[in-house]
Every structure is written in structure tokens, then in C-alpha cells.
Amino acid sequence: MERLIIALQKSGRLREGSLELLKECGLKTDYRDGQLKIVTSDYPAELLFLRNSDIPQYVSDGVVDLGIVGSNLLEEDETPVEIIQALNFSQCRLSFAVPKASGIQTAEDLQGKRIATSYPNSVRKYLQQQGITAEIHPISGSVEIAPSLDLSDAIADIVSTGNTLFQNNLREIFPFLYSEAVLIKGPDLAPEKQVLLDQLLFRIQSVLAGNENKYILLNAPKEKLSTICKILPGMKSPTILPLAVEGWISIHSVVKKKEVWQVVQQLKSEGAEGILVCPIEKMVS
């Protein structure tokens, strides 16, 4: 029986999000620390836990069929793989940072400076685009300590919350590359496995759509229906049901998660009552 072989990060911030997404897609992923392989019993897939930096090459070489990595990694090593789906988790940014007392404020201020980073190719590409010449010092880890050891004037590193910069007496200047988890595949996938991939993508997209939207229910005077329909973006049109109370209706629709509060306030101002906002587990289009 054909199985999709999917490479996941062995350790790091992406592993938990990857396992949670696959679980929501119906793949049984009972994981224990140190485990390097999971064969799912409810979907034809095999999960391999690999070193993050090895995943793109394994996918490109056809050793595994798919991988979940940060898009920043692909920008850095330029391995020939195809991004087939952005996964909307593990968002972060690659930023320049300097000691708090530094006078460096802008990209132009990096001219001639020493920059320590674990992402030398990404930094080099950005500086070239800006016409800036600087000394790039590749460091494999603990980049934040470089300025305090007088190894660099600035660093370029992944920033999520900014806590690590704060703890090392650094301040972020500006981001120059944004990243999130992505699903990748290599150049050649057997037709049988392509069928499985299409099924998995369908599940992933349904889960992501559910996460990005909310189900909204409300009661409103019937004469307000036209106005309320203009407020609700919906999918095609809202569901409208009569209430036992004469002249009142119940309206059901779907709203983008990021727009919920704005929509709710507008609905309230038009006389809507009993507004409920509910999560959506899956949304199939």
C-alpha cells in the first residue's frame, strides 16, 4: 500500500504545530519525545522526524514526499522544492537587531558594519538589493551574544515575540523577511502518491478555512434584513430562518475571524440581538 512520507522537524518550534495540524486533518499522531517515525493507522502516511535543515534536501532528492518547514529556510538554502501550501502557523520574521545603546537606526546605517547571523544568504541578498556593503559573519547559533563579545555591530536573526532580544539587551531595528510554516514537495511525485497528496491538501485547506473564519448567529427585526445582509460578508448568502416572534428572523453566516468585532458592532447598531460567535472546526468549500 502506498503511503505519503512526510518529514517533520525533529525538534523546534515547528514540530508541535505540524503535529497539531495533521491531527486536525484526521491523521493519528501520538508522538513521544525522541520518536523518529510514526506510521499512521487511519491514513496512508508515514511521518519522519528529521533535522530541520535536512528536510528540503530530503524532499528535493525524493527520499521523502513532503515536508513541513519554515519558508525562511527555503529562502536561505534555495533547495529546488515547491511550496504547495502555506500553513498559517509559526509566523515569525527575520530582523536586524542591535545593542540598545547603538546609534544604528536604518538600513543605511548598516553600511560597513559587522553583522552576525545564521542566515548569511538571506542577509546578503537583502543588502545587495539595498546597495549596502557590510561584513557578514555566519554563526550557527547563539547569535544574540555576538555584539556583547564585540564580534559584530548588529545581528540578523529570527524574531517571534522579541523576548530573546530583550533578554540580551538588544533592540529590533526592522524586519526584512517574513516566514511561516509551509508544506513542500519535490519535483517528481508518483501518480498514486499525487492522489494521496490531493486528499491531504483538501483536508488541510478545510482545516485552515475553519481556523480563519467564525460562524455567527443573530436575531434581528425582519425589516433590517437587507441592511444586515450588506454587513455580513458570508460565503454566498446568509441562512435566514423565521422566529416564533412575529416580525423577527434568525440569521446565520460565516465571518472572517479578523473582522468579527467590527461586524458584531455594526450588527448591534442595526438592532441585532442574541449574537453568537462560534468556532468552525472544518470548512469545506
Side-chain angles (χ1 to χ4, degrees), residues 61-282:
D61 292 343
V63 177
V64 299
D65 302 313
L66 307 171
I68 297 179
V69 295
S71 57
N72 63 290
L73 179 61
L74 304 180
E75 288 281 345
E76 179 62 23
D77 72 7
E78 298 181 331
T79 302
V81 296
E82 179 186 353
I83 296 176
I84 53 176
Q85 180 67 53
L87 300 177
N88 200 29
F89 70 87
S90 288
Q91 288 94 346
C92 58
R93 57 196 182 273
L94 189 55
S95 291
F96 290 108
V98 295
K100 291 180 180 178
S102 171
I104 298 174
Q105 301 287 345
T106 66
E108 290 74 18
D109 294 335
L110 294 171
Q111 180 70 35
K113 298 297 191 294
R114 300 167 299 161
I115 303 171
T117 184
S118 298
Y119 301 91
N121 293 332
S122 299
V123 172
R124 187 174 296 109
K125 282 188 286 187
Y126 173 78
L127 294 178
Q128 287 174 348
Q129 291 168 1
Q130 302 301 312
I132 295 169
T133 302
E135 295 180 30
I136 300 174
H137 297 274
I139 296 180
S140 59
S142 301
V143 175
E144 297 85 1
I145 201 172
S148 66
L149 298 177
D150 197 29
L151 297 176
S152 70
D153 305 298
I155 68 166
D157 202 17
I158 289 294
V159 178
S160 181
T161 64
N163 288 338
T164 303
L165 295 181
F166 179 80
Q167 291 166 3
N168 287 275
N169 202 35
L170 300 174
R171 59 177 172 84
E172 184 177 4
I173 312 175
F174 61 89
F176 63 96
L177 180 67
Y178 289 90
S179 176
E180 68 175 309
V182 293
L183 182 68
I184 60 173
K185 78 176 186 72
D188 299 306
L189 198 63
E192 302 83 7
K193 292 198 174 186
Q194 184 63 50
V195 171
L196 295 176
L197 172 57
D198 292 341
Q199 294 172 356
L200 180 60
L201 276 175
F202 171 78
R203 297 188 184 195
I204 289 174
Q205 289 163 0
S206 298
V207 169
L208 294 179
N211 291 341
E212 292 169 2
N213 292 275
K214 294 288 186 180
Y215 192 71
I216 189 166
L217 307 85
L218 59 112
N219 300 329
K222 193 172 182 179
E223 67 267 17
K224 291 286 188 176
L225 176 58
S226 177
T227 302
I228 286 176
C229 284
K230 292 177 182 177
I231 296 172
L232 291 170
M235 289 181 288
K236 289 187 178 178
S237 64
T239 300
I240 301 164
L241 301 171
L243 293 180
V245 179
E246 185 68 28
W248 280 75
I249 52 176
S250 176
I251 303 173
H252 300 201
S253 189
V254 173
V255 179
K256 290 288 184 184
K257 186 177 180 180
K258 61 184 180 182
E259 299 172 359
V260 163
W261 285 112
Q262 178 184 354
V263 169
V264 166
Q265 283 191 302
Q266 291 176 353
L267 293 171
K268 283 285 291 179
S269 68
E270 293 297 335
E273 298 180 1
I275 302 172
L276 298 179
V277 178
C278 308
I280 300 174
E281 185 173 328
K282 312 284 188 299

